[in-house]
Amino acid sequence: MNNIDTSQYQIEREPYYLKVADEVELFQAAYDARMPVMLKGPTGCGKTRFVEYMAWKLRRPLITVACNEDMTASDLIGRYLLDVNGTRWQDGPLTTAARIGAICYLDEVVEARQDTTVVIHPLTDHRRTLPLDKKGEVVTAHPDFHLVISYNPGYQSLMKDLKQSTKQRFGALDFNYPAADIEARVVRHETGIDEVIAGKLVQIAHRARNLKGHGLDEGISTRLLVYAGQLIAKGVDPVAACRMTLVRPLTDDPDMRDTLDAAVNTFLG
Ligand SMILES: Nc1ncnc2c1ncn2[C@@H]1O[C@H](COP(=O)(O)OP(=O)(O)OP(=O)(O)O)[C@@H](O)[C@H]1O
Ligand SMILES: [Mg+2]
């Protein structure tokens, strides 16, 4: 028995998610097989929104962990805490998810050190167990428990990559910025701006995405297009809105800023 309040992890309202291809069916099938899933794709393209949507659709609680390089295995699994009565074990988010049958979403998992990442191994093969070594307990995952990880393939270096023995425990789905018509619908839905201006924002993004690898590390994300639309919906001049949200966050290089500002002017000036 556990006395964890699972309602805090339950997604009550349907998150807005526009299907891009067959990702919903594929994720559903992977979930049915309890096959761990890896979402790969650039920043701001819809990975987190997709997981929230799938958790809602599958009616599973969702526990998200933002991974970073300072994270230790204890941050995932749990640790002993000191309180007035002595020591008390506190489950980490991965342990909680395994106990209650949640979807555990480890965001940007390559950021974590490899010795941290390996703790998911016994959970992601036929064993479906999580040993809590310090506590002397082996947690058997709830039948509904599911593990999802994300990463941005653009960022990782040789030092920061998942081990093959980690990678090969997952089915993987590629994410990218949605096709122009779908992306424009997303921006309209999220911001309320009209079709014409949403279309122009997407066209600006397409121009900038062509510069990835030619002076830009990343293209303009769907998230930034939503930001631009939010400012425009508040009455901000579209060119100023785009400079603030589509150009300035992306680069400090003066030439690249000029190039992007020019693209904004082409479509909105
Ligand atoms: N297919 C989609 N349906 C609905 N909204 C979308 C879709 N794709 C992108 N979005 C929008 O893009 C925004 C950013 O998406 P999200 O936060 O899921 O990105 P992400 O891929 O998780 O990025 P990061 O890697 O930086 O965490 C969302 O808030 C949402 O408005
Ligand atoms: Mg995310």
Side-chain angles (χ1 to χ4, degrees), residues 16-18 20 42-49 107-108 178 186 190 222-223 226:
Y16 170 73
Y17 181 75
L18 204 54
V20 173
T43 183
C45 72
K47 301 182 297 294
T48 295
R49 184 64 67 87
D107 207 354
E108 281 300 328
V186 168
E190 299 279 88
T222 309
R223 176 185 298 125
V226 170

Side-chain angles (χ1 to χ4, degrees), residues 16-21 23 45 174-188 198-199 201-203 205-206 209 222 225:
Y16 170 73
Y17 181 75
L18 204 54
K19 248 176 74 158
V20 173
E23 71 276 19
C45 72
D174 274 335
F175 274 69
N176 214 324
Y177 312 117
D181 55 330
I182 295 180
E183 193 168 36
R185 273 173 62 193
V186 168
V187 175
R188 281 173 62 197
L201 294 180
V202 172
Q203 282 180 297
H206 279 237
R209 287 170 192 165
T222 309
L225 294 184

Side-chain angles (χ1 to χ4, degrees), residues 232-261:
I232 294 167
K234 292 267 175 230
V236 174
D237 168 61
V239 172
C242 287
R243 286 195 176 156
M244 179 172 176
T245 58
L246 306 186
V247 181
R248 299 299 175 270
L250 229 57
T251 176
D252 301 317
D253 177 72
D255 291 337
M256 189 50 76
R257 285 184 170 198
D258 287 348
T259 306
L260 293 172
D261 282 343

Side-chain angles (χ1 to χ4, degrees), residues 47-253:
K47 301 182 297 294
T48 295
R49 184 64 67 87
F50 174 69
V51 174
E52 289 170 349
Y53 172 76
M54 292 308 302
W56 172 83
K57 194 173 158 64
L58 297 165
R59 296 195 173 83
R60 298 318 312 155
L62 176 66
I63 299 183
T64 299
V65 186
C67 299
N68 64 70
E69 59 188 9
D70 297 327
M71 201 169 79
T72 63
S74 300
D75 292 325
L76 285 177
I77 288 177
R79 56 168 54 88
Y80 279 106
L81 299 178
L82 282 174
D83 65 16
V84 282
N85 303 318
T87 55
R88 176 172 64 85
W89 174 263
Q90 166 125 42
D91 280 344
L94 183 64
T95 309
T96 302
R99 288 195 205 274
I100 69 175
I103 294 177
C104 187
Y105 180 43
L106 303 181
D107 207 354
E108 281 300 328
V109 77
V110 274
E111 293 299 326
R113 291 194 317 266
Q114 292 189 345
D115 57 317
T116 306
T117 324
V118 293
V119 306
I120 65 179
H121 284 193
L123 264 182
T124 47
D125 53 36
H126 64 278
R127 291 170 281 179
R128 285 178 61 87
T129 55
L130 181 61
L132 312 179
D133 290 339
K134 288 184 187 147
K135 191 170 182 242
E137 179 186 349
V138 177
V139 176
T140 300
H142 185 288
D144 296 335
F145 168 77
H146 193 221
L147 188 70
V148 182
I149 64 176
S150 80
Y151 84 97
N152 181 331
Y155 296 164
Q156 99 262 31
S157 62
L158 268 181
M159 290 302 292
K160 266 195 183 170
D161 193 4
L162 296 176
K163 286 168 180 278
Q164 279 294 335
S165 59
T166 305
K167 283 184 183 173
Q168 295 200 21
R169 290 179 141 76
F170 292 83
L173 290 173
D174 274 335
F175 274 69
N176 214 324
Y177 312 117
D181 55 330
I182 295 180
E183 193 168 36
R185 273 173 62 193
V186 168
V187 175
R188 281 173 62 197
H189 178 275
E190 299 279 88
T191 66
I193 59 173
D194 70 42
E195 200 175 340
V196 175
I197 191 99
K200 287 181 176 174
L201 294 180
V202 172
Q203 282 180 297
I204 294 168
H206 279 237
R207 283 281 174 96
R209 287 170 192 165
N210 290 332
L211 297 169
K212 183 172 171 178
H214 304 280
L216 278 186
D217 298 332
E218 283 289 295
I220 293 173
S221 63
T222 309
R223 176 185 298 125
L224 288 180
L225 294 184
V226 170
Y227 280 5
Q230 283 170 340
L231 293 187
I232 294 167
K234 292 267 175 230
V236 174
D237 168 61
V239 172
C242 287
R243 286 195 176 156
M244 179 172 176
T245 58
L246 306 186
V247 181
R248 299 299 175 270
L250 229 57
T251 176
D252 301 317
D253 177 72

